[in-house]
Amino acid sequence: MDDGFSPMEDVLDSLPARRRPANPRPRVAPETMARIRLAVYGRDWFACVTCGWSPDVPDGYDGRYALGEDYVDNRGRARCRLLELDHIIPHLHGGLFAVDNLQALCNSCNARKGATHP
């Protein structure tokens, strides 16, 4: 007997139109972000903690932008390698936005790590 009602429709109707994450990402002022980036990069010696790659650090670097350098790969394609901030325990798994939970990783190591944690 098909009455046109599906239990799945009941479940879908009970969900909010827009789901919010349980632990939304905090908004950080640019000046605060620069201080955090400078503190983490300095603690990690301006190098990727996984592979050890380190970009040239310009004099007077104030932390307002990620460090990086352009290069050409073995296939002749232009690439950019960046030193990024990464959550040790990902935000997705409840990791906090704190200096103790951040590390410097190059963009290729950060992409390999993804949302995993130790």
Side-chain angles (χ1 to χ4, degrees):
M1 179 169 130
D2 184 17
D3 58 358
F5 176 77
S6 165
M8 184 54 94
E9 289 173 348
D10 190 33
V11 171
L12 292 175
D13 289 341
S14 69
L15 293 175
R18 180 174 168 229
R19 297 187 63 158
R20 304 184 115 221
N23 187 9
R25 172 177 246 172
R27 299 283 182 212
V28 180
E31 298 81 21
T32 304
M33 190 66 217
R35 286 196 308 271
I36 290 170
R37 182 178 288 116
L38 196 56
V40 173
Y41 284 178
R43 182 198 66 206
D44 295 340
W45 297 93
F46 290 89
C48 174
V49 297
T50 302
C51 70
W53 174 80
S54 180
D56 293 330
V57 181
D59 291 335
Y61 176 71
D62 61 1
R64 294 194 183 272
Y65 54 88
L67 293 170
E69 57 190 39
D70 297 325
Y71 68 98
V72 177
D73 69 7
N74 57 1
R75 294 183 180 176
R77 296 177 293 190
R79 300 285 186 191
C80 181
R81 193 164 189 187
L82 297 172
L83 192 62
E84 302 175 337
L85 289 180
D86 170 64
H87 287 85
I88 297 168
I89 299 172
H91 186 74
L92 179 69
H93 298 291
L96 299 175
F97 191 82
V99 173
D100 293 344
N101 188 43
L102 294 171
Q103 62 185 349
L105 287 183
C106 69
N107 55 335
S108 58
C109 290
N110 197 7
R112 268 192 303 277
K113 178 183 177 276
T116 61
H117 62 85

